[in-house]
Amino acid sequence: MVEHLQHYGVISSKKVAEVMEAVDRALFVPDGSPPYLDSPMSIGYNATISAPHMHATCLQLLEENLQPGMRALDIGSGTGYLTACFALMVGPQGHAVGVEHIPELVSSSIQNIEKSAAASLLKEGSLQVHVGDGRLGWPELAPYDAIHVGAAAPEIPQPLIDQLKPGGRMVIPVGNIFQDLKVVDKNLDGSVSVRSETSVRYVPLTTRDAQLRNY
Ligand code: SAH
């Protein structure tokens, strides 16, 4: 899978290739789903695990903000795959925090991570996954060098901008039916620059009730 993504130019970073090879996607997709197919897959609760090329794209956009010792926040952490990748990148001195609003997904993501290369980081506490409304971020460990949002927001939630460190970067899909993957950089003076990377299709960042009613 990783070689395929390298061949097609999606992965150019050696570090991202190493981390995606280390975190075996087969541990994170539901039983019976083809783990290495470059496609999103249903994980129940009207949620999906993103396609490998989207995980790779987001890891690369955030790579400089996922250096050892840095802090990363993964909103809508779902299966925990990307949270585990973040944890390996920031290492035992850093923090990788997942926030997901479906408690059952938080439990299963913890079980997935326990089988993965990130298990020791979870045990030691540098990797955490919490049940919560991701639109509020996770203030306890703010500010973050990197924030990833795995569900599309109608607009960028202000608490997430507030919890970004100066010099930090957030990657977030924004929009309803038509969405752009936005790259939000907080400058050292606290001002914010936003650009669109590409068009995407994510499930909505919404309330738990709306999601379970299928929006
Ligand atoms: N990045 C994850 C999951 C992506 S699907 C992966 O690849 O496995 C988007 C996830 O966002 C779903 O698990 C959904 O339950 C969650 N989500 C949607 N709205 C949310 C909110 N307000 N707070 C927290 N999680 C939310």
Side-chain angles (χ1 to χ4, degrees):
M1 176 188 90
V2 169
E3 272 173 26
H4 183 86
L5 293 172
Q6 286 175 307
H7 179 79
Y8 285 98
V10 178
I11 299 182
S12 54
S13 153
K14 195 162 162 271
K15 182 77 197 164
V16 168
E18 278 170 16
V19 163
M20 287 187 69
E21 265 169 6
V23 183
D24 187 352
R25 199 177 162 86
L27 302 171
F28 292 81
V29 299
D31 288 344
S33 300
Y36 308 120
L37 197 69
D38 192 13
S39 164
M41 270 159 218
S42 173
I43 55 171
Y45 311 96
N46 296 316
T48 56
I49 178 169
S50 299
H53 75 268
M54 281 317 305
H55 283 155
T57 298
C58 293
L59 282 165
Q60 288 197 162
L61 286 169
L62 291 168
E63 185 174 6
E64 295 198 350
N65 294 74
L66 293 169
Q67 299 297 315
M70 289 187 167
R71 291 186 178 207
L73 178 63
D74 185 23
I75 299 296
S77 47
T79 60
Y81 179 84
L82 207 52
T83 326
C85 291
F86 288 166
L88 287 188
M89 291 186 76
V90 300
Q93 310 302 327
H95 286 283
V97 184
V99 180
E100 163 60 53
H101 68 171
I102 306 287
E104 292 86 345
L105 287 177
V106 172
S107 305
S108 57
S109 71
I110 289 172
Q111 290 171 7
N112 299 340
I113 294 166
E114 280 170 346
K115 294 182 209 134
S116 80
S120 62
L121 298 167
L122 181 71
K123 205 163 165 229
E124 288 155 17
S126 66
L127 165 49
Q128 317 174 354
V129 188
H130 300 281
V131 179
D133 185 345
R135 293 171 294 188
L136 305 175
W138 193 257
E140 281 85 336
L141 284 169
Y144 298 94
D145 298 279
I147 300 180
H148 169 264
V149 184
E155 54 197 41
I156 304 170
Q158 187 61 40
L160 298 184
I161 297 176
D162 295 342
Q163 290 171 35
L164 198 57
K165 199 180 272 186
R169 172 173 278 193
M170 168 160 51
V171 173
I172 175 169
V174 179
N176 294 308
I177 297 172
F178 297 101
Q179 304 161 4
D180 279 330
L181 189 67
K182 302 269 188 198
V183 177
V184 181
D185 286 310
K186 188 177 266 189
N187 304 311
L188 293 177
D189 66 3
S191 63
V192 167
S193 316
V194 184
R195 68 176 170 86
S196 294
E197 173 73 14
T198 179
S199 298
V200 288
R201 193 76 198 269
Y202 279 72
V203 302
L205 186 72
T206 181
T207 63
R208 189 186 301 154
D209 283 353
Q211 181 173 326
L212 294 176
R213 281 198 313 268
N214 206 3
Y215 320 112

